[in-house]
Amino acid sequence: MPLSLTEVPSGQKVFDWFIPDEWNIKDAYLITPDQRKIACFTDNNLHVVNYSVPINTNIGFEELKAHLHTLPDLPGAIPYVTSYYENNWGFCLDYHTYQTLPEHGAYHAFIDSTLAPGSLTYGEAVLEGESDEEILFSTYLCHPSMANNELSGPLITAFLYRELKKLPSLRYTYRFVVAPETIGVIAYLAERGEHLKAKIKAGYVITCAGNPAPFTYKRSRHGNTLADKAAEYVLHETSNGRASVLDFFPYGSDERQYCSPGFDLPVGSIARSMYNTYPQYHSSLDNKEFIDMGTLAESVSMCEQICRVLEADEKYLNQIMMCEPNLGRRGLYPTLGGRNITNQDILSMNWLLNYSDGNHSLLDIARLSRVSIRELKEIAEKLVNAGLLAKINSVASLVGYRTKLPE
Amino acid sequence: MPLSLTEVPSGQKVFDWFIPDEWNIKDAYLITPDQRKIACFTDNNLHVVNYSVPINTNIGFEELKAHLHTLPDLPGAIPYVTSYYENNWGFCLDYHTYQTLPEHGAYHAFIDSTLAPGSLTYGEAVLEGESDEEILFSTYLCHPSMANNELSGPLITAFLYRELKKLPSLRYTYRFVVAPETIGVIAYLAERGEHLKAKIKAGYVITCAGNPAPFTYKRSRHGNTLADKAAEYVLHETSNGRASVLDFFPYGSDERQYCSPGFDLPVGSIARSMYNTYPQYHSSLDNKEFIDMGTLAESVSMCEQICRVLEADEKYLNQIMMCEPNLGRRGLYPTLGGRNITNQDILSMNWLLNYSDGNHSLLDIARLSRVSIRELKEIAEKLVNAGLLAKINSVASLVGYRTKLPE
Amino acid sequence: MPLSLTEVPSGQKVFDWFIPDEWNIKDAYLITPDQRKIACFTDNNLHVVNYSVPINTNIGFEELKAHLHTLPDLPGAIPYVTSYYENNWGFCLDYHTYQTLPEHGAYHAFIDSTLAPGSLTYGEAVLEGESDEEILFSTYLCHPSMANNELSGPLITAFLYRELKKLPSLRYTYRFVVAPETIGVIAYLAERGEHLKAKIKAGYVITCAGNPAPFTYKRSRHGNTLADKAAEYVLHETSNGRASVLDFFPYGSDERQYCSPGFDLPVGSIARSMYNTYPQYHSSLDNKEFIDMGTLAESVSMCEQICRVLEADEKYLNQIMMCEPNLGRRGLYPTLGGRNITNQDILSMNWLLNYSDGNHSLLDIARLSRVSIRELKEIAEKLVNAGLLAKINSVASLVGYRTKLPE
């Protein structure tokens, strides 16, 4: 994915925030009184609290303890800890190692880091479509070594980009954003927020979508936007009832910014095991073994199917509104009537013709009829060729699933 | 039912359709190589594909086969087959007979039919009421020898006409239509569509309502019209929960035309075992044994009850809107208070007085209170006589059933 | 509760009613042929039909019978009977006593009562708050000796008054009404109805709330007023699902007048075992043993909690609408990020900030977030102090409970 990068300098105000200094680190470790070298940054970057200030000092255990982080409930795991907005330093250890630490004697704590003006980086890629109306995919890149709650998002987004780029044409323009969570997206919205407010038709935050658990879709703040309709339609069609759909709640990932009341964009969130709901979350156990490539591919496919639904979701107008058109003389209806004359193509034609009244898009008709939008689209094109439907400008309407259809 | 008939000449354009030529037939049969005369029109008209062109020819089995229709799954039944819009001919046989046909030797196929300019006929009867607002009952007459999916409709409609005619007065004007399915109703709407759009308050297509199965009500396209409210109310009151109510779907019978987007009339559909849902459908097994007179009478009664609800569904205005009126001094309330003073009549008065606020009709109040509209009507008239209610022009409103009432 | 009393003279017209004469009684009894003195008013006032005209006569059993009232199904209970609007007299007996009455011989019936012009009395108390918008509590005082269906209402109302008076300040003005049921409230509304229409934000009729059964809340006529939202919220929070909520129905207690279509006030009704639903209703068994002080205290507390919710239900406006505010630099967010950083206070801040968009009050946000309004209020004040929220004029909006929140 050919990301164009934007650098936002430290100290710049972005809405209510300031871009912090840039943190860089070369090495870090602890030397125990019995001369073991532990918590080596070079073994695992999680050993150092992210954004730790430099330190190079001898220190007793009592004082050191306040700077050590462990997970007694997951004794083999190194926790993931950050201190972005306060000068601090610390080491993260698995609890087994922590238990071997002598209480007496001098430790040596060493962190060779710098915290100095620099810049925050975010990346953006755009696939131009026929329309300047946009679909957004946003993910984050700021939890080094986390797999599900980090790597999964950029991987899925990048592969989705590749799949969409293969398509011969796109109706919508697709925008892909990779930024540090929270501050990165705030910086991004400070730059692009007004543009998105004007252009975005649907958007999704991709997070924690690499572990083999069923999908979770978290609705946009309005709960019935085009983003929600399309995602729920695809989940409904593909998940055999195993996916969860949650109403919006104002904590979680970057939908917090996209759905802050001043933006209130049609942005939902696609995940599998959501943040905070799995024990490996924010620890060294959220690693490559916790995710797998098949699952990631399936997540890419889910996103692609949502895009295909959005692409397909045209609106047509029936050209013969008074009574049904005569399908037979246009070769669209069997000439021999009897039992079972109503094959699925003809039922689909009926749905399209009756509901292409200016108020219903293909996605609406798919939800009413339980015929797939792909099939409806094919049939709709036949009906356009026969002069029975005409494509009109799409407007999202709000039709619910039907509860009851005849057997 | 004194139907006035309208003839629409062959070739006339009706919306997107043309009236086809008129088909008449005198005789038809097949002579087998072993000299059996089979598929005789005079035995059963279903033996000939409806609208078959004339034929009088010797023909081999291989060529003949393309003109033979059977139902291997129902080997004793003759299928019902039509070819309205393409010149074709054919014979329909039970599968047992078909299996006896020799593969060699010459068959003689004979159909003495004419297909020539003539006319399509539809019939209409009107019972004038006090108002020019109309209730429509529509059914079809075009499947010769079919019982449930044909005869039941005109029978019910005719007997309904007779029952309504007996009533001393009618508030609404009732319109009864008997026409060939699809093309007949399209022709009818070409003539009367604008009138119906202006006048119709509720309408019903009667189809497949003669076999002893529970009622099925298919809602109008809007799903909450007066037609739907009245029919669902009666089903709710009378069916002990055995009736089905289906949302509109754009295939089936003539509601396809009445509910095409350019008309979108408040027309639902009343059936028992709906088209396409019973094995006898469109075969010689959909015959008089499949229906019965008691069931037909019950269907007539169901329709009549719907009419009575529509007739009864007045709207009243409470003449004393501030606090309750004093029922006692008008002799409408027991003078002795104590336990159980609230008999059903008084509860009904309370419902009527409180909700006759200009927004609720009797049917609305019946649905809110679960008191029958018949009882409400009687009590309402008492309250009119007492000067507490005044009748006002009815407007249908949209009140749902209440989920919870005190025990 | 310092009630100010209003006297409405007999004969005065109040809407559709006239204030009846005033009834006073000194003594009443029956002497049986075997010289027993029974049905003594001085033993139990229920022995006399309320509003009985004076009588002092010898009478045979046959004639007397029409004036005797019993409850054969509750043979130990004396029924409660009234005859407000027709001149009549009568005695109420337990059925056991009734069965001992000789059929022959002369009875002496004695009622020393007067029925003469006087006045109807109602009482009103007001607790002034900062705003002239009002909350109403209404109850009745007209069933002498009834405990649940009478005494419970004034007791709860009086103790609620006492509790609310203790509060250092009140946002709303609270109005307490004690009047005879029906005619008393009609007279009250004749005087104060227009004032209430202009000022009342929520109101409750307190009835039958002293017996140890779960709460029943009967909604106002609109069913989604502030009265309903607040009461249902408190029941939802406190009842462990044991409370019942009923839609409005136009019979019962004084909500019949407050919710008559010309007033249609936001007045619901708070009860435990509702009128007419318990066997002791309107008999001498609805006595002090049927209610208990602990239950009454709990009912007072329920009402007080509703008031506290109404008092707390402010509306705030987020001062930083674009993206989230930076809580950390205001000391409102932990500086150390990792697992479980989202404690409940922070989630509550997120809910408050995201939904304080001008459309949602605290009660709305409590219903969305399932965080208690008390907790939200505390956190909201912190956010006001931090300059992140500003209080705005409250407007009731209509947000439903959410069906699904993440675990």
Side-chain angles (χ1 to χ4, degrees):
Chain A
M1 178 163 50
L3 290 172
S4 75
L5 303 183
T6 299
E7 303 291 333
V8 188
S10 295
Q12 180 162 324
K13 190 165 193 302
V14 285
F15 296 120
D16 191 47
W17 302 64
F18 295 90
I19 303 298
D21 279 349
E22 188 173 313
W23 184 61
N24 287 288
I25 181 165
K26 293 204 193 105
D27 197 8
Y29 52 78
L30 276 176
I31 308 284
T32 65
D34 47 351
Q35 298 306 311
R36 283 180 287 144
K37 188 177 175 188
I38 62 167
C40 298
F41 177 75
T42 50
D43 290 344
N44 189 327
N45 63 280
L46 295 182
H47 280 309
V48 184
V49 168
N50 278 246
Y51 256 58
S52 280
V53 295
I55 192 97
N56 187 358
T57 190
N58 290 331
I59 187 171
F61 186 69
E62 273 313 296
E63 200 185 338
L64 176 64
K65 252 190 347 192
H67 294 275
L68 298 184
H69 304 279
T70 64
L71 294 171
D73 291 344
L74 287 176
I78 308 164
Y80 165 74
V81 181
T82 63
S83 181
Y84 294 134
Y85 297 101
E86 188 171 73
N87 281 352
N88 203 340
W89 61 270
F91 288 91
C92 300
L93 303 171
D94 66 272
Y95 192 61
H96 293 314
T97 301
Y98 178 82
Q99 284 178 303
T100 68
L101 296 184
E103 291 194 12
H104 302 288
Y107 284 79
H108 188 77
F110 177 70
I111 300 178
D112 180 8
S113 66
T114 58
L115 203 54
S119 62
L120 175 152
T121 311
Y122 64 75
E124 199 180 24
V126 174
L127 280 175
E128 299 278 352
E130 290 157 21
S131 157
D132 66 351
E133 295 185 338
E134 296 191 4
I135 309 299
L136 173 76
F137 285 88
S138 177
T139 193
Y140 49 88
L141 195 61
C142 53
H143 301 65
S145 297
M146 298 291 104
N148 195 41
N149 179 29
E150 176 61 71
L151 188 58
S152 72
L155 279 178
I156 291 165
T157 306
F159 279 90
L160 176 64
Y161 177 93
R162 200 171 75 171
E163 291 306 307
L164 293 179
K165 197 164 172 54
K166 286 182 197 163
L167 297 180
S169 72
L170 291 169
R171 190 170 149 227
Y172 286 110
T173 291
Y174 287 79
R175 189 173 291 273
F176 302 83
V177 177
V178 185
E181 209 178 12
T182 306
I183 183 68
V185 166
I186 291 169
Y188 177 71
L189 281 169
E191 180 67 28
R192 278 275 196 268
E194 290 307 313
H195 174 85
L196 290 184
K197 275 172 96 157
K199 294 300 180 192
I200 194 175
K201 291 293 147 188
Y204 304 94
V205 169
I206 310 294
T207 172
C208 299
N211 72 311
F215 284 106
T216 304
Y217 179 68
K218 174 179 172 179
R219 289 178 172 141
S220 72
R221 192 170 182 265
H222 279 278
N224 56 4
T225 61
L226 180 58
D228 304 313
K229 287 169 59 183
E232 290 177 43
Y233 172 78
V234 171
L235 284 176
H236 193 267
E237 287 246 313
T238 61
S239 78
N240 288 319
R242 296 197 319 137
S244 304
V245 176
L246 302 175
D247 279 335
F248 178 74
F249 49 89
Y251 43 91
S253 185
D254 289 323
E255 67 278 10
R256 283 154 32 212
Q257 316 311 327
Y258 293 116
C259 298
S260 57
F263 284 110
D264 209 1
L265 298 174
V267 172
S269 184
I270 295 168
R272 286 173 178 271
S273 288
M274 253 194 182
Y275 30 78
N276 254 327
T277 66
Y278 56 97
Q280 298 86 345
Y281 175 72
H282 274 192
S283 86
S284 58
L285 299 181
D286 185 353
N287 56 31
K288 283 188 229 164
E289 279 162 45
F290 184 59
I291 63 175
D292 76 74
M293 293 308 287
T295 301
L296 285 164
E298 212 182 70
S299 296
V300 173
S301 163
M302 219 287 265
C303 293
E304 191 195 341
Q305 285 178 74
I306 292 174
C307 296
R308 284 180 185 270
V309 164
L310 292 167
E311 292 284 310
D313 184 32
E314 305 271 6
K315 193 184 271 185
Y316 298 85
L317 191 66
N318 185 341
Q319 302 299 294
I320 293 174
M321 300 282 271
M322 312 296 271
C323 295
E324 293 181 306
N326 186 327
L327 297 174
R329 66 176 169 86
R330 294 177 175 87
L332 297 167
Y333 201 85
T335 57
L336 212 61
R339 288 159 68 92
N340 308 321
I341 58 165
T342 47
N343 65 43
Q344 186 54 53
D345 277 9
I346 291 170
L347 297 187
S348 298
M349 286 184 207
N350 289 336
W351 282 108
L352 283 164
L353 290 165
N354 194 294
Y355 283 96
S356 290
D357 57 359
N359 295 317
H360 299 82
S361 74
L362 284 194
L363 182 51
D364 296 323
I365 299 174
R367 288 162 66 126
L368 282 168
S369 66
R370 300 202 176 149
V371 178
S372 79
I373 195 171
R374 180 179 346 211
E375 193 178 334
L376 288 176
K377 180 86 173 187
E378 277 174 30
I379 306 271
E381 288 305 320
K382 273 198 210 173
L383 293 172
V384 167
N385 291 337
L388 293 177
L389 288 185
K391 199 175 288 186
I392 56 176
N393 281 338
S394 178
V395 181
S397 76
L398 299 174
V399 169
Y401 279 94
R402 299 282 281 258
T403 50
K404 229 176 168 179
L405 283 177
E407 300 300 299
Chain B
M1 177 163 54
L3 290 170
S4 75
L5 303 183
T6 299
E7 304 290 333
V8 189
S10 296
Q12 181 161 324
K13 188 164 195 303
V14 287
F15 296 118
D16 191 49
W17 302 63
F18 296 89
I19 304 297
D21 279 350
E22 187 173 313
W23 184 61
N24 287 288
I25 179 164
K26 294 208 194 98
D27 199 7
Y29 50 78
L30 276 176
I31 307 285
T32 65
D34 49 351
Q35 299 305 311
R36 284 179 286 145
K37 187 177 176 188
I38 61 167
C40 298
F41 176 75
T42 50
D43 290 345
N44 189 326
N45 62 280
L46 295 183
H47 280 309
V48 185
V49 168
N50 277 245
Y51 256 61
S52 281
V53 296
I55 191 93
N56 188 357
T57 190
N58 289 332
I59 187 171
F61 186 68
E62 273 312 298
E63 199 186 338
L64 176 64
K65 251 190 348 191
H67 295 272
L68 298 184
H69 304 279
T70 65
L71 294 171
D73 291 344
L74 287 177
I78 307 164
Y80 165 75
V81 182
T82 63
S83 181
Y84 294 134
Y85 298 101
E86 187 172 72
N87 281 353
N88 203 339
W89 61 269
F91 289 91
C92 300
L93 302 172
D94 65 271
Y95 192 63
H96 293 314
T97 301
Y98 178 82
Q99 285 177 304
T100 69
L101 297 184
E103 290 194 14
H104 302 287
Y107 285 79
H108 188 77
F110 177 70
I111 300 178
D112 180 8
S113 66
T114 58
L115 202 54
S119 63
L120 175 151
T121 313
Y122 64 75
E124 197 179 26
V126 174
L127 279 175
E128 300 277 352
E130 291 157 22
S131 157
D132 66 350
E133 295 185 336
E134 297 191 4
I135 309 298
L136 173 77
F137 284 88
S138 177
T139 193
Y140 49 89
L141 197 60
C142 54
H143 301 66
S145 297
M146 297 291 106
N148 195 41
N149 178 27
E150 176 61 70
L151 188 58
S152 71
L155 279 179
I156 291 165
T157 306
F159 279 91
L160 175 63
Y161 176 94
R162 199 172 73 171
E163 291 306 309
L164 293 179
K165 198 167 170 52
K166 284 181 197 166
L167 297 180
S169 73
L170 291 169
R171 190 170 149 225
Y172 286 110
T173 290
Y174 287 80
R175 190 172 291 274
F176 302 83
V177 178
V178 184
E181 208 178 14
T182 306
I183 182 69
V185 166
I186 292 169
Y188 177 70
L189 282 169
E191 180 66 29
R192 277 277 196 269
E194 291 306 314
H195 174 85
L196 291 184
K197 275 173 96 158
K199 295 298 181 194
I200 194 175
K201 291 292 146 190
Y204 304 94
V205 169
I206 310 294
T207 172
C208 299
N211 72 311
F215 284 106
T216 304
Y217 179 68
K218 175 179 171 179
R219 289 178 172 142
S220 72
R221 192 170 182 266
H222 280 277
N224 56 4
T225 62
L226 181 59
D228 304 313
K229 287 167 61 182
E232 289 177 44
Y233 172 78
V234 171
L235 284 176
H236 192 267
E237 286 245 313
T238 61
S239 76
N240 287 319
R242 295 196 319 135
S244 303
V245 177
L246 302 175
D247 279 336
F248 178 74
F249 48 90
Y251 44 91
S253 184
D254 289 323
E255 68 278 10
R256 282 153 33 211
Q257 316 311 328
Y258 293 116
C259 298
S260 58
F263 284 110
D264 209 1
L265 298 174
V267 173
S269 183
I270 294 167
R272 286 172 178 272
S273 288
M274 252 193 183
Y275 31 78
N276 255 326
T277 65
Y278 57 97
Q280 298 87 345
Y281 175 72
H282 274 192
S283 87
S284 59
L285 299 182
D286 184 353
N287 56 31
K288 283 188 230 164
E289 279 161 44
F290 184 59
I291 63 174
D292 76 72
M293 293 308 287
T295 300
L296 285 164
E298 211 181 69
S299 296
V300 173
S301 163
M302 218 288 266
C303 293
E304 191 196 340
Q305 286 177 74
I306 291 173
C307 296
R308 284 179 186 270
V309 164
L310 292 168
E311 291 284 310
D313 184 32
E314 304 271 5
K315 193 184 273 186
Y316 298 86
L317 193 65
N318 186 341
Q319 302 299 292
I320 293 173
M321 301 281 271
M322 312 297 270
C323 295
E324 293 181 308
N326 186 327
L327 297 174
R329 68 176 168 87
R330 293 176 176 87
L332 296 167
Y333 200 86
T335 57
L336 213 61
R339 288 161 67 93
N340 309 320
I341 57 164
T342 47
N343 65 44
Q344 186 54 54
D345 278 11
I346 291 170
L347 297 187
S348 298
M349 285 184 208
N350 289 337
W351 281 108
L352 284 163
L353 290 164
N354 193 293
Y355 283 96
S356 289
D357 57 359
N359 296 317
H360 299 84
S361 75
L362 284 194
L363 182 50
D364 296 324
I365 299 174
R367 289 163 65 128
L368 281 169
S369 66
R370 300 202 176 149
V371 179
S372 80
I373 193 170
R374 180 181 345 215
E375 193 179 334
L376 288 176
K377 180 84 171 189
E378 277 173 32
I379 307 271
E381 288 305 320
K382 272 197 212 174
L383 293 172
V384 167
N385 291 337
L388 293 176
L389 288 185
K391 200 175 288 186
I392 55 175
N393 281 339
S394 178
V395 180
S397 76
L398 299 174
V399 169
Y401 280 96
R402 299 282 282 257
T403 50
K404 229 176 170 182
L405 283 177
E407 302 298 299
Chain C
M1 179 164 50
L3 290 170
S4 75
L5 304 182
T6 299
E7 304 291 333
V8 189
S10 296
Q12 180 162 325
K13 190 164 194 303
V14 287
F15 296 119
D16 191 49
W17 302 64
F18 295 90
I19 303 298
D21 279 350
E22 187 172 315
W23 184 62
N24 288 288
I25 180 164
K26 293 205 195 102
D27 198 8
Y29 51 77
L30 276 176
I31 308 284
T32 63
D34 48 351
Q35 299 306 310
R36 283 179 288 144
K37 187 176 175 187
I38 62 168
C40 299
F41 175 75
T42 51
D43 290 345
N44 189 328
N45 63 281
L46 295 183
H47 280 309
V48 184
V49 168
N50 277 246
Y51 256 61
S52 280
V53 297
I55 192 93
N56 187 357
T57 190
N58 290 332
I59 187 170
F61 186 68
E62 272 314 296
E63 198 185 340
L64 175 64
K65 252 192 343 195
H67 295 273
L68 298 183
H69 305 278
T70 65
L71 294 171
D73 291 344
L74 287 176
I78 308 164
Y80 165 75
V81 182
T82 63
S83 181
Y84 293 134
Y85 298 100
E86 188 171 75
N87 281 351
N88 203 339
W89 61 270
F91 289 91
C92 300
L93 302 171
D94 65 272
Y95 192 64
H96 293 313
T97 300
Y98 178 83
Q99 284 178 304
T100 68
L101 297 184
E103 290 193 14
H104 302 289
Y107 285 78
H108 188 76
F110 176 70
I111 299 179
D112 180 9
S113 67
T114 58
L115 204 52
S119 63
L120 175 151
T121 311
Y122 64 76
E124 198 179 25
V126 174
L127 279 176
E128 299 277 353
E130 290 156 21
S131 156
D132 66 350
E133 295 185 338
E134 295 190 4
I135 308 299
L136 174 76
F137 284 89
S138 177
T139 193
Y140 49 89
L141 197 60
C142 54
H143 300 67
S145 297
M146 298 291 104
N148 196 39
N149 179 27
E150 178 61 68
L151 188 57
S152 72
L155 279 180
I156 291 164
T157 306
F159 279 90
L160 176 63
Y161 177 93
R162 200 171 73 171
E163 291 305 308
L164 294 180
K165 197 165 170 53
K166 285 182 197 165
L167 297 181
S169 72
L170 291 169
R171 190 170 148 224
Y172 287 110
T173 290
Y174 287 80
R175 189 173 291 272
F176 302 83
V177 178
V178 185
E181 209 177 12
T182 306
I183 183 68
V185 166
I186 291 170
Y188 177 71
L189 282 170
E191 180 66 26
R192 277 277 194 269
E194 291 307 313
H195 174 85
L196 290 183
K197 275 172 96 157
K199 295 299 180 193
I200 194 175
K201 290 293 146 186
Y204 304 94
V205 169
I206 310 294
T207 172
C208 299
N211 73 311
F215 284 106
T216 305
Y217 179 68
K218 174 179 172 180
R219 288 177 172 141
S220 72
R221 191 170 183 266
H222 279 278
N224 55 4
T225 61
L226 181 58
D228 304 314
K229 287 169 62 183
E232 290 177 43
Y233 172 78
V234 171
L235 284 176
H236 192 267
E237 286 245 313
T238 61
S239 77
N240 287 319
R242 296 195 319 137
S244 303
V245 176
L246 302 175
D247 279 336
F248 178 76
F249 47 90
Y251 44 91
S253 185
D254 288 323
E255 68 278 9
R256 283 151 35 210
Q257 316 312 328
Y258 294 115
C259 298
S260 58
F263 284 109
D264 209 1
L265 298 174
V267 172
S269 183
I270 295 168
R272 285 173 178 271
S273 288
M274 252 192 182
Y275 30 78
N276 255 328
T277 66
Y278 57 97
Q280 298 86 344
Y281 176 73
H282 274 193
S283 87
S284 59
L285 299 181
D286 184 353
N287 56 32
K288 283 189 230 165
E289 279 162 45
F290 184 58
I291 63 173
D292 76 74
M293 293 307 287
T295 300
L296 286 164
E298 212 181 68
S299 295
V300 173
S301 164
M302 219 286 267
C303 294
E304 191 196 339
Q305 285 177 75
I306 292 174
C307 296
R308 283 180 186 269
V309 164
L310 292 167
E311 291 284 310
D313 184 31
E314 305 271 5
K315 193 185 272 185
Y316 297 85
L317 192 66
N318 185 342
Q319 301 299 292
I320 294 173
M321 300 282 270
M322 312 297 271
C323 294
E324 294 181 307
N326 185 327
L327 297 174
R329 67 177 168 88
R330 294 176 175 89
L332 297 167
Y333 200 86
T335 57
L336 213 61
R339 289 160 66 93
N340 309 319
I341 58 165
T342 48
N343 65 43
Q344 186 54 53
D345 278 10
I346 291 170
L347 298 186
S348 298
M349 285 184 207
N350 288 336
W351 281 108
L352 283 164
L353 290 164
N354 193 293
Y355 283 97
S356 290
D357 57 359
N359 296 317
H360 298 83
S361 74
L362 284 194
L363 182 50
D364 296 323
I365 299 174
R367 289 163 65 128
L368 282 168
S369 66
R370 300 202 177 145
V371 179
S372 79
I373 193 170
R374 181 181 344 213
E375 192 179 335
L376 288 176
K377 180 84 171 189
E378 277 174 31
I379 306 271
E381 288 305 320
K382 272 197 212 175
L383 293 172
V384 167
N385 291 336
L388 292 177
L389 288 185
K391 201 175 287 188
I392 56 176
N393 281 339
S394 179
V395 181
S397 76
L398 300 173
V399 169
Y401 279 96
R402 300 280 281 258
T403 51
K404 230 177 169 180
L405 282 178
E407 301 300 299

